[in-house]
Every structure is written in structure tokens, then in C-alpha cells.
Amino acid sequence: EPEVTQTPSHQVTQMGQEVILRCVPISNHLYFYWYRQILGQKVEFLVSFYNNEISEKSEIFDDQFSVERPDGSNFTLKIRSTKLEDSAMYFCASSSSGNNEQFFGPGTRLTVL
Amino acid sequence: EDQVTQSPEALRLQEGESSSLNCSYTVSGLRGLFWYRQDPGKGPEFLFTLYSAGEEKEKERLKATLTKKESFLHITAPKPEDSATYLCAVQPRDYKLSFGAGTTVTVRA
């Protein structure tokens, strides 16, 4: 069964460093998303991406964040200068259309020290 | 602003003891309501999509229903492997899902 994959599973970084989280969405999906979940809190929407551009973003997704689809299979989230409060699980998701079910990856646990 | 409230926060059940989880929502318009299961340290696993009031979906021991203001997830004769956090999410328009805080279900053998 097709699934969303994410790498790495755990990333530890120093405050102020740049990190890139990677995702491989389900191959025939056209819509891609990033969410995050701070420990013990709700899953929060960050950004959606369709047709090589951002279609929607939340207030959390400020200038420190960027997304890219560098090739036909990968989808990345970059945080330019990490802060302590960026520590969270980051989930990538994909869907076949904008209002269909979204399938989530296993997540990347980001720890900022 | 979209609001999704799930209750109860936690539910402890004996194996075979059926129960229901509630998801109440306030949105400007509803494109879809989604139920996910999340195990500790894992990503949300898709269960159901409901699009209109009166709609029902079933999968094994789970059944989801939808009204204009809330959705219910019924668990019939649960087993220990049904222990997880169940998340409700609403989609008022394309793309973004707004999640509730979840209901953590523990089923004892």
C-alpha cells in the first residue's frame, strides 16, 4: 500500500541552525502539506502546496519557513534559523485533491537545543 | 475562527464495552470532516471522511456519523488493539485541516 515517508525520523539541532526536513509523498498525489504537533498539543496546519506554489499557509509559517519540491518525488520543509519553540513532531501529508483525505507520514521529531 | 472540540479527553473501557466519542465543531462552511487514529509517536492514520449531515461510515468496530454540528465515533465491542488517540479534523475549504485535541482511548483486556 502506498505511503508517505519522511526523513530523518529524529533531528537534533542547535538554536539558530538551519534544518531541512524531507518527505516523499504518495506518488500520484498532487497536494502536499506540512503540519506540526508540539508535545501534548493539537496537530497544527503549517502550509499546503499545489502546482509548485503555496496554496495556503498559517500564521506559524513565517519567513523562517520555506517549502520546496526540488524534484518529482521529494517535498521539503526548511527552517532557516531554528528556535527552541520549533521543537515538535513535523508531519508531511499528501492528498489526491484539495478536499480529499490527507495521508500522513510517520513524522520527524525535531529537537532544538 | 474554526473550532473543534472533542470529548471526553480520555476514555477507559473494558474489552467489549461499547462507547462513543464526540466531536463538536464550529466552522463557516464544511467541506469535510475527517477521523484519524494516532498511536504514540506516530503520524495520524486516516479512518473516515464524512461530507454531509446524515452520512455514516463503518470500518470493523468503528462507525462514524455526522450532524450539522457534531460527529460521533462509535466503538463497538472494543479490543485492546483499539487503544489509541482518535482525532477529529474539519476542513472548511480546500487544503487546511483543523484538528481537535483528540480523545485517548484505553481498552483493558
Side-chain angles (χ1 to χ4, degrees), chain B residues 58-71:
Chain B
E58 281 189 73
K59 179 180 178 180
E60 296 181 355
R61 294 176 292 282
L62 301 177
K63 178 180 175 180
T65 61
L66 180 65
T67 72
K68 288 187 177 180
K69 293 184 178 181
E70 57 191 351
S71 176

Side-chain angles (χ1 to χ4, degrees), chain A residues 31 33 35 37 42-45 48 50 55-56 89 91 98-107 109, chain B residues 4 31-32 34 36 38 41-46 49 51 87 91 93-101:
Chain A
Y31 296 76
Y33 313 84
Y35 291 80
Q37 187 175 31
K42 295 182 182 183
V43 176
E44 301 175 288
F45 170 79
S48 60
Y50 169 68
S55 46
E56 187 175 0
M89 280 287 278
F91 297 110
N99 67 340
N100 274 10
E101 52 273 6
Q102 297 176 18
F103 293 90
F104 284 73
R109 180 173 299 283
Chain B
V4 182
R31 293 295 296 272
F34 301 83
Y36 287 85
Q38 186 175 31
K42 303 288 180 62
E45 175 189 341
F46 170 73
T49 310
Y51 289 109
L87 304 175
Q91 190 176 53
R93 55 195 175 279
D94 279 358
Y95 314 128
K96 171 186 174 181
L97 294 180
S98 293
F99 281 85

Side-chain angles (χ1 to χ4, degrees), chain B:
Chain B
E1 186 177 323
D2 310 328
Q3 287 201 340
V4 182
T5 303
Q6 292 189 245
S7 62
E9 290 183 12
L11 190 59
R12 293 176 64 85
L13 300 173
Q14 202 64 35
E15 185 172 2
E17 178 188 2
S18 302
S19 190
S20 294
L21 285 55
N22 177 263
C23 171
S24 62
Y25 61 90
T26 305
V27 294
S28 53
L30 185 69
R31 293 295 296 272
L33 184 142
F34 301 83
W35 282 98
Y36 287 85
R37 168 190 171 128
Q38 186 175 31
D39 292 306
K42 303 288 180 62
E45 175 189 341
F46 170 73
L47 293 173
F48 303 110
T49 310
L50 301 166
Y51 289 109
S52 57
E55 191 174 358
E56 297 182 353
K57 293 273 181 74
E58 281 189 73
K59 179 180 178 180
E60 296 181 355
R61 294 176 292 282
L62 301 177
K63 178 180 175 180
T65 61
L66 180 65
T67 72
K68 288 187 177 180
K69 293 184 178 181
E70 57 191 351
S71 176
F72 293 92
L73 184 67
H74 307 279
I75 309 178
T76 302
K79 298 182 178 181
E81 52 262 42
D82 295 321
S83 298
T85 296
Y86 291 87
L87 304 175
C88 169
V90 298
Q91 190 176 53
R93 55 195 175 279
D94 279 358
Y95 314 128
K96 171 186 174 181
L97 294 180
S98 293
F99 281 85
T103 294
T104 300
V105 175
T106 304
V107 183
R108 295 166 291 175

